[in-house]
Amino acid sequence: MRFKHRRATELEEGESYYVSMTDLMVGVLFIFIIMLAYFALHFRDTTEELTSAKDAQTTALMKVATELRSHAADIEVDYKNRIVCLKDTDLLETGGTGERRCFAYSGAPPVDVQSEAAQKSAAAQAVFAAALNGDVSKKMPQASVNLSDGTTSFDADRLFKPGTATLSAEGQAAATELASSLATRLPCMAYGTNAAGCQGEAKMSAVTILAVASINAFTADGRAAQALSLERSVAFHQALVASQPVLGQLRNQPEGGEPLLRVVSVGNSSVNAPSGGSGKTLIIQFQMATPAQ
């Protein structure tokens, strides 16, 4: 009997498809890393350009604008209130009717973002404003605080008895609460006392108690209303210092210097103002000292 010998079939194993999938994933990951690096570099460059610009908003808008064209236009500017107006025919390609369009703009000078000292000063004022707003909003809801610089405004007719420079019960409570908050925060931002636990070296040059009223300076009643505004700012200053004597010790210079708390009165004269004045407001303004370069 004849046997047939079968030749063993040699199986040649190829590469597993798992290996191919691994190679594919490595390739995808490599491409992803390249894209990530590109976007990271682009983000860094954009962020640096915006933060280093004196007007970050303009810089950002210039990146969006693609078809800016020079155009002769008549504009009206209110420098006092920072308002600019122009006709819609100068703003729109079609459909303009000649109506006036007005926009507000910031009058604050740009901060030199290259100066580290200026950055720290602006940051310190913002932190102070936020902390002051936290105190005021809880205990003095009748007041308003500007979160950019801490400016605090009161309705003067609520703080004082009608027609006088005598604090009402509400005004006395407001002075006491505000003095407590200022005595906690101002010593670290001024000279004249031994403040402890201070963070940062930013200082203030002045804290101004400003009485503002719209008056008619051409009448005796208007001038009397202006004098009353000054008396009220003095009375509020005295109430603050009486409640927290440390406020009277603060100075704007390490040696001597002027008192940190100041008193100012401003009257906006108008022939249409009522005889006793209007818009009577008591404002506390906080001015940071110019940082050393």
Side-chain angles (χ1 to χ4, degrees):
M1 185 174 181
R2 188 175 185 180
F3 294 95
K4 292 182 180 181
H5 296 281
R6 295 183 179 180
R7 187 176 181 179
T9 304
E10 296 181 358
L11 297 178
E12 183 177 343
E13 294 185 1
E15 293 184 355
S16 171
Y17 69 91
Y18 288 109
V19 177
S20 299
M21 182 63 80
T22 302
D23 292 340
L24 178 62
M25 292 301 297
V26 170
V28 171
L29 183 61
F30 182 69
I31 295 174
F32 175 76
I33 292 174
I34 293 176
M35 294 177 62
L36 184 62
Y38 169 78
F39 286 116
L41 291 174
H42 180 70
F43 176 79
R44 185 193 65 182
D45 294 340
T46 302
T47 302
E48 181 179 356
E49 184 175 357
L50 290 176
T51 55
S52 63
K54 289 188 175 181
D55 187 347
Q57 182 180 17
T58 299
T59 304
L61 292 176
M62 289 295 293
K63 284 184 168 293
V64 177
T66 58
E67 297 183 8
L68 285 176
R69 290 175 290 178
S70 298
H71 185 70
D74 293 328
I75 65 172
E76 301 170 283
V77 182
D78 182 342
Y79 294 105
K80 179 180 179 181
N81 297 302
R82 308 294 180 182
I83 297 174
V84 59
C85 298
L86 64 164
K87 295 181 179 180
D88 61 359
T89 51
D90 294 322
L91 293 174
L92 306 173
E93 284 189 309
T94 59
T97 60
E99 293 184 359
R100 180 185 293 172
R101 299 286 185 90
C102 297
F103 308 89
Y105 64 94
S106 172
V111 177
D112 181 7
V113 296
Q114 298 298 332
S115 169
E116 183 178 357
Q119 287 183 334
K120 290 182 178 180
S121 178
Q125 187 168 19
V127 171
F128 169 82
L132 182 62
N133 180 66
D135 296 339
V136 169
S137 61
K138 294 177 183 177
K139 301 177 181 179
M140 293 169 280
Q142 74 274 27
S144 65
V145 178
N146 187 318
L147 292 177
S148 63
D149 58 13
T151 297
T152 305
S153 303
F154 295 91
D155 181 351
D157 287 334
R158 293 185 60 176
L159 294 181
F160 298 91
K161 295 179 180 179
T164 72
T166 303
L167 285 169
S168 62
E170 180 179 352
Q172 187 61 54
T176 300
E177 295 294 346
L178 182 60
S180 177
S181 177
L182 296 180
T184 301
R185 312 187 190 287
L186 287 183
C188 284
M189 307 184 78
Y191 303 94
T193 61
N194 295 322
C198 299
Q199 298 179 354
E201 300 178 354
K203 301 296 182 183
M204 288 191 179
S205 61
V207 176
T208 305
I209 302 173
L210 173 65
V212 180
S214 295
I215 62 164
N216 186 348
F218 297 99
T219 65
D221 288 341
R223 293 190 293 273
Q226 176 63 24
L228 178 60
S229 293
L230 179 58
E231 291 179 12
R232 285 180 167 181
S233 61
V234 172
F236 198 77
H237 176 281
Q238 293 173 337
L240 292 176
V241 175
S243 179
Q244 295 289 339
V246 68
L247 296 177
Q249 303 172 17
L250 300 178
R251 296 291 185 270
N252 63 355
Q253 294 292 334
E255 298 294 336
E258 297 290 332
L260 190 67
L261 268 67
R262 318 262 182 99
V263 171
V264 178
S265 177
V266 176
N268 299 317
S269 182
S270 171
V271 295
N272 296 321
S275 59
S278 63
K280 301 172 185 177
T281 307
L282 193 73
I283 304 172
I284 317 297
Q285 295 179 330
F286 304 92
Q287 182 177 350
M288 299 298 293
T290 302
Q293 299 296 327

